[in-house]
Amino acid sequence: MIARVVELRWPTLLVLALCGGLAASNWVRAPTGALAGAALCVAGAAVAADEGSRRLAALAVLLLVTGLWWGGARLGELERSVLAERVGDWADATVVVTGPARRTRYSVRQPAQVRAFDGEPVRERVLLELPGERAPPQGAVLELRAQPVEPHGPETGFDERGWLRRSGVHVVLRGRQPRVVGRRGGIGGVADRLRGHVAATLALAG
């Protein structure tokens, strides 16, 4: 009976092991070499195991270690910032708008990803700040003059720096003279078109 329950639930156990490793990577930072060594040892144990339950346990541990490595690698990417080293510099940039606009009294702010800055390829999330009230559509590819600036800290009453850092954003990118030169493709482009269709439908219904 127990073996049958394990047989029915083993996919769930393996998924939970992988998710547990991903979650643990927020608190545990292990060296890549140590994780690779542990993964090889566990993989060898899984191959050598005779009993199905032992093999399942070894596979679960292997997925746990894999999730820990994967999550750590992703967090490492989010913590690196090329633009933080260019704070205050004006340069030509190519930016993709990735989220809806939030309007303030004097500017428009939108999540975006920088694809190039000062002629160098970049893949970094930013909070794009443009003058005026008209925001470019989500998914638009822009060329503009841009300047990375540091987000406001807690001394202003709202810790914008910490809030953005949790999303992997290290700088606010102030832009001027934006020019739409295209639309992003791939899955993100499909999502943009669907979102635009839904928004247009709701506007007509209203």
Side-chain angles (χ1 to χ4, degrees):
M1 181 68 179
I2 296 177
R4 182 172 178 79
V5 171
V6 171
E7 181 180 354
L8 290 173
R9 296 184 178 178
W10 70 263
T12 303
L13 294 175
L14 296 181
V15 170
L16 288 175
L18 180 62
C19 293
L22 288 170
S25 66
N26 289 293
W27 298 279
V28 179
R29 295 295 184 91
T32 302
L35 290 175
L40 288 174
C41 292
V42 175
V47 172
D50 294 328
E51 297 181 12
S53 58
R54 291 182 180 178
R55 184 171 297 176
L56 178 62
L59 186 56
V61 174
L62 177 61
L63 287 175
L64 181 70
V65 173
T66 301
L68 194 61
W69 166 80
W70 187 8
R74 176 171 171 75
L75 288 174
E77 286 295 323
L78 291 176
E79 290 175 356
R80 280 193 287 271
S81 174
V82 174
L83 297 177
E85 301 175 0
R86 301 292 304 271
V87 165
D89 295 342
W90 283 97
D92 293 331
T94 302
V95 176
V96 180
V97 179
T98 59
R102 181 172 63 86
R103 291 172 175 80
T104 65
R105 187 173 181 179
Y106 300 108
S107 64
V108 173
R109 287 182 152 201
Q110 293 177 268
Q113 183 187 63
V114 178
R115 296 286 179 85
F117 187 82
D118 200 16
E120 297 294 329
V122 180
R123 289 275 180 171
E124 185 172 334
R125 296 179 180 181
V126 296
L127 180 61
L128 178 64
E129 183 179 274
L130 298 173
E133 298 182 354
R134 186 173 181 180
Q138 184 170 335
V141 179
L142 308 177
E143 288 184 352
L144 70 166
R145 291 288 292 176
Q147 178 193 46
V149 298
E150 292 185 356
H152 298 300
E155 65 277 2
T156 62
F158 171 63
D159 187 8
E160 183 183 52
R161 186 185 304 123
W163 177 67
L164 291 175
R165 187 66 60 87
R166 287 192 288 272
S167 300
V169 175
H170 298 267
V171 300
V172 174
L173 191 72
R174 289 179 179 165
R176 64 187 184 192
Q177 302 172 346
R179 183 167 60 94
V180 178
V181 295
R183 302 278 299 180
R184 67 172 169 175
I187 296 176
V190 173
D192 293 332
R193 288 190 289 272
L194 288 174
R195 188 177 293 106
H197 178 70
V198 171
T201 301
L202 292 175
L204 289 174

